[in-house]
Amino acid sequence: MSAENMEVRWFRSKFTSVVHLYQYGKDQYGQQMPEYRGRTELLKTGITDGNVSLQIVNIRSSDEGQYNCFVQDGPFDEEAILELKVAGLGSNPLISVESHQDGGIRMVCQSAGWYPEPKVLWRDLSGQELPSLSEAKSLFETENSIIIKERSNQNLSCLIRNTVLNQEKESTVYIADSFFPRVNPWMVALSVILLVLFGFIGLTVYLFKIKGKHLGEIRKRDTKINDLQRELDWRRNIVCPANVTLDPDMAHPKLVLFEDGKSVRCGDTEEDVPNKLERFDYWECVLGCEGFTSGRHCWEVEVGGEGYWAVGVARESVGRKGEISRSPYGGIWAVEQCRDQFQALTSPVTLLPLSRAPSGIRVCLDCDRGQVTFINAGDEAPIFTFPPGSVRGERIRPWLQVGGSQLRLCP
């Protein structure tokens, strides 16, 4: 049936994790997750025949996984689940001679552009598989090495296979016997003498290093104790939390602020508000009314519920118009929950190893040290600290970003 007047929602694990939304006869981008902006299109050519296919461009490895397709027309609704697998076929293997090693030749096979992790095989002239010496793999790249011994008419091949696509690429090289090292008796005797000599020298250097290592470990232990003591002093010295409120003149038009000035949620449509210079117009952000230039200040934010949110501080002069860098380079120091990930907005982001996102965040700002710390308000456990000296230069204000959830500043 025709889906031209239906709601078509493509989403990931949660209903609010919108990949693409078609509603009221047109595409709606207000609720779309930031990582899919500008990369999706609902193909309209077959929509009258019930074809609601989604196209994703500039595909990434993070796009892999489960997608839900939901359609609704009044009381009628249907849902389907699809699994997207991402695969990339890399370049032809490049085989190179690295060095002489262990009486043979160390050969290296390199290739790039593979996803997921490919299978690498070394084979001889007869097609017999050879054991590799070492393997180094990173996203889309692989490097594998092997040591081959002297053998007549040595043909060596490196084969790389993508198990998802069931496709492979192979390169072959011929190694002449003259390339293999020859053992000289005089060189063996010289090697033994040098080995004994360097052994005595190495023992002396080792003893000095052991002494220096112990001194270094003592210094590191003292430094760690001092850091812990400063952290305890920081918490003890925060006697009266700051009473902060949100500034409606700086709130994105989609944000709805409550009358108490302490709660905010993200609406479905933009509010009819004056387009002031200080108002955010791209990210769904808002700043606090209060600004701080000195002293120590602390406040808590309730972050319960599903959806995207970010909590932290920002320079008073942080950019308001267009897409801004949500990192210290852009004047923002914060942590965020994005889908099922909890991370600090460093550059690049730092994943935080928490079993679950906290229901409350305590933001601790030390203007004198130029440091901001985030603490789990539930169990008092530290979450993340931007190092001393990183938050400096001007007045600092509370900063929130809301998407599909509600945040509340505790009184």
Side-chain angles (χ1 to χ4, degrees):
M1 66 181 69
S2 173
E4 195 170 13
N5 296 318
M6 294 185 182
E7 174 184 331
V8 181
R9 180 185 295 257
W10 283 89
F11 62 96
R12 295 299 298 265
S13 58
K14 300 178 182 178
F15 192 77
T16 55
S17 303
V18 176
V19 176
H20 194 94
L21 177 62
Y22 174 85
Q23 200 175 35
Y24 310 122
K26 62 180 181 179
D27 298 310
Q28 308 287 340
Y29 297 100
Q31 301 179 39
Q32 189 178 40
M33 290 188 291
E35 54 266 38
Y36 286 98
R37 286 180 180 169
R39 299 198 300 122
T40 64
E41 180 185 1
L42 188 72
L43 303 180
K44 308 296 192 310
T45 53
I47 197 169
T48 56
D49 299 323
N51 188 337
V52 291
S53 299
L54 177 70
Q55 176 175 280
I56 304 177
V57 299
N58 299 328
I59 201 74
R60 307 169 181 173
S61 59
S62 59
D63 294 335
E64 190 170 66
Q66 179 177 299
Y67 288 75
N68 298 65
C69 177
F70 173 85
V71 294
Q72 183 176 24
D73 186 11
F76 164 79
D77 65 81
E78 287 288 346
E79 184 173 343
I81 298 176
L82 299 90
E83 186 75 19
L84 172 65
K85 289 189 176 182
V86 178
L89 191 64
S91 60
N92 290 324
L94 175 64
I95 303 177
S96 59
V97 178
E98 184 84 357
S99 62
H100 289 116
Q101 184 175 335
D102 299 333
I105 297 177
R106 178 186 176 95
M107 307 293 296
V108 175
C109 177
Q110 296 173 308
S111 184
W114 297 87
Y115 184 84
E117 181 179 298
K119 184 176 180 60
V120 183
L121 298 175
W122 289 97
R123 298 194 296 198
D124 60 14
L125 181 62
S126 62
Q128 183 71 28
E129 184 177 339
L130 303 174
S132 60
L133 174 66
S134 65
E135 189 170 20
K137 294 181 180 178
S138 60
L139 191 61
F140 307 116
E141 297 184 3
T142 181
E143 180 179 302
N144 197 292
S145 61
I146 189 175
I147 295 179
I148 57 173
K149 305 294 183 179
E150 184 174 1
R151 192 183 304 171
S152 298
N153 300 323
Q154 178 69 60
N155 273 31
L156 185 69
S157 68
C158 177
L159 181 143
I160 304 180
R161 178 181 297 126
N162 187 309
T163 55
V164 175
L165 298 175
N166 198 24
Q167 297 183 41
E168 58 190 37
K169 292 191 175 183
E170 184 176 11
S171 295
T172 304
V173 67
Y174 171 78
I175 306 296
D177 290 345
S178 58
F179 280 93
F180 289 89
R182 299 289 186 269
V183 179
N184 189 314
W186 291 102
M187 292 298 295
V188 174
L190 179 61
S191 298
V192 172
I193 294 172
L194 291 176
L195 182 62
V196 174
L197 178 61
F198 284 121
F200 282 112
I201 297 174
L203 179 60
T204 304
V205 173
Y206 175 75
L207 293 176
F208 278 104
K209 284 186 176 181
I210 288 293
K211 182 179 179 180
K213 182 179 180 181
H214 286 305
L215 292 175
E217 289 178 351
I218 293 174
R219 293 193 197 98
K220 288 181 181 179
R221 183 190 63 190
D222 292 342
T223 301
K224 187 173 183 180
I225 291 174
N226 291 334
D227 290 341
L228 291 174
Q229 186 62 47
R230 282 195 295 269
E231 181 69 22
L232 290 174
D233 293 341
W234 156 260
R235 297 195 188 183
R236 290 169 182 163
N237 289 335
I238 297 176
V239 179
C240 182
N243 184 21
V244 296
T245 55
L246 301 175
D247 191 336
D249 291 335
M250 297 186 182
H252 186 278
K254 288 189 67 176
L255 297 185
V256 179
L257 271 64
F258 291 68
E259 291 184 1
D260 61 359
K262 292 182 174 294
S263 298
V264 60
R265 66 176 177 86
C266 186
D268 296 330
T269 59
E270 294 189 356
E271 298 289 324
D272 185 14
V273 293
N275 185 20
K276 298 185 177 182
L277 291 176
E278 61 268 27
R279 188 180 302 280
F280 290 94
D281 66 356
Y282 186 86
W283 299 107
E284 292 82 0
C285 304
V286 61
L287 291 180
C289 294
E290 294 73 21
F292 309 101
T293 57
S294 63
R296 298 176 175 180
H297 311 276
C298 178
W299 60 92
E300 291 185 10
V301 185
E302 288 186 0
V303 293
E306 296 182 352
Y308 169 85
W309 54 259
V311 171
V313 299
R315 291 195 184 102
E316 194 169 60
S317 63
V318 67
R320 317 291 169 83
K321 304 303 181 184
E323 187 172 4
I324 58 176
S325 174
R326 299 177 309 128
S327 70
Y329 295 108
I332 295 174
W333 297 264
V335 294
E336 72 169 1
Q337 176 180 281
C338 181
R339 290 188 292 174
D340 297 328
Q341 289 186 342
F342 190 53
Q343 57 197 17
L345 295 181
T346 52
S347 183
V349 297
T350 301
L351 295 179
L352 301 176
L354 298 180
S355 58
R356 60 179 182 176
S359 60
I361 301 289
R362 182 177 302 158
V363 184
C364 301
L365 173 64
D366 188 339
C367 295
D368 300 328
R369 296 186 66 198
Q371 174 179 308
V372 60
T373 300
F374 298 91
I375 298 172
N376 189 329
D379 57 11
E380 299 292 326
I383 295 175
F384 186 79
T385 298
F386 286 89
S390 59
V391 188
R392 287 189 181 276
E394 60 181 79
R395 183 179 297 273
I396 302 298
R397 292 197 182 200
W399 175 87
L400 302 177
Q401 184 176 354
V402 192
S405 62
Q406 179 173 321
L407 303 183
R408 187 173 76 90
L409 295 167
C410 295

